[in-house]
Amino acid sequence: MRWPNWLRKRTEKTVRTRPFDEDALPETAAPTLEQTVEEGMLLAEYATRMAVKNHIVVDTLQYGNDFDPARHTGEAAHLLRELASEQGEAAGRIDADLEVAQGLRGDATHPHDYRDVDVANLRLRRDAAVALASALRAKADSEDELLALVERGRVDAWDEVGRAIEAGLDAFSGVEALKADYEREKPARLKLLIWRDLARLQEERTGY
């Protein structure tokens, strides 16, 4: 007697997988000195731009000064030189680690226990820190570079203030908009928004 196909027990097909072979993974190319310095400059420029943006917002809103790029280039230069000094100090520390690591065999006992196998990476980090410090100082000495940073900071500041004002106006809509004296009180409310809410926003974001 031949059993119908639907009564036959179906055998589960097993899929065999190969064991994970870490050596089969493609080797990641080490970053070059140029790539490392370029990445460092992007991060430094972003940090400086954000700090300049905060400086512009506080100077114009809290202290009531008209926007003048010359009022903020000094701040940008100061920040760039601070970052350059940090990179110089980092290069000195890495150079000291490099001297200890050269020729030292065995396994590391903690993350900063560098050995001979780490020498190439330490050299790259040291050279990148030296080159980055030099590039940051050059940018701090360039009036054109500083003005470009301030302009980008101004655009960021305008966007942030615009979003804050829109959020504040949305909060004032609804019941407030129905009041008969809405138009008469609008300038006072906007002034309160700038002096209270934006000042609090800047205090939260900048710490001053």
Side-chain angles (χ1 to χ4, degrees):
M1 178 179 178
R2 188 171 182 178
W3 295 99
N5 289 336
W6 60 273
L7 284 177
R8 293 179 182 177
K9 184 178 181 181
R10 295 181 181 179
T11 57
E12 296 289 340
K13 291 184 178 181
T14 58
V15 179
R16 294 185 178 181
T17 58
R18 295 179 180 178
F20 177 74
D21 184 7
E22 187 175 352
D23 294 332
L25 293 174
E27 186 175 351
T28 304
T32 64
L33 176 61
E34 291 75 15
Q35 289 172 334
T36 305
V37 174
E38 182 180 0
E39 182 178 344
M41 284 298 294
L42 288 174
L43 292 173
E45 288 177 359
Y46 179 78
T48 304
R49 199 180 86 198
M50 292 298 99
V52 169
K53 175 206 70 176
N54 293 334
H55 193 262
I56 291 171
V57 171
V58 172
D59 188 62
T60 54
L61 292 182
Q62 185 170 338
Y63 297 113
N65 296 315
D66 293 334
F67 174 75
D68 180 3
R71 294 180 61 85
H72 309 289
T73 53
E75 178 72 7
H78 173 71
L79 292 167
L80 289 169
R81 291 192 180 100
E82 272 194 347
L83 292 172
S85 296
E86 291 176 5
Q87 289 301 312
E89 293 172 2
R93 291 192 300 269
I94 296 170
D95 205 37
D97 292 334
L98 188 56
E99 290 184 10
V100 175
Q102 287 178 341
L104 190 61
R105 307 291 181 178
D107 297 328
T109 58
H110 56 80
H112 299 289
D113 183 17
Y114 299 112
R115 302 297 171 120
D116 195 67
V117 69
D118 301 310
V119 165
N121 184 46
L122 287 171
R123 283 191 182 131
L124 174 64
R125 289 172 53 195
R126 179 201 59 192
D127 295 345
V130 171
L132 183 55
S134 177
L136 288 170
R137 291 191 182 95
K139 186 177 284 289
D141 293 335
S142 170
E143 189 69 18
D144 289 341
E145 294 281 0
L146 294 176
L147 288 172
L149 271 174
V150 170
E151 174 58 20
R152 290 196 289 271
R154 182 195 67 79
V155 172
D156 292 332
W158 177 251
D159 289 343
E160 182 171 296
V161 170
R163 288 194 300 269
I165 290 177
E166 286 180 359
L169 291 176
D170 288 342
F172 280 128
S173 64
V175 176
E176 291 289 331
L178 297 177
K179 289 185 177 180
D181 55 357
Y182 173 76
E183 290 297 331
R184 181 174 59 84
E185 292 183 356
K186 185 193 293 185
R189 287 198 301 272
L190 286 174
K191 186 174 181 180
L192 177 63
L193 169 69
I194 291 173
W195 286 100
R196 184 193 64 190
D197 295 349
L198 292 184
R200 186 170 64 249
L201 173 66
Q202 285 307 121
E203 182 178 355
E204 292 174 354
R205 296 195 176 189
T206 65
Y208 61 86

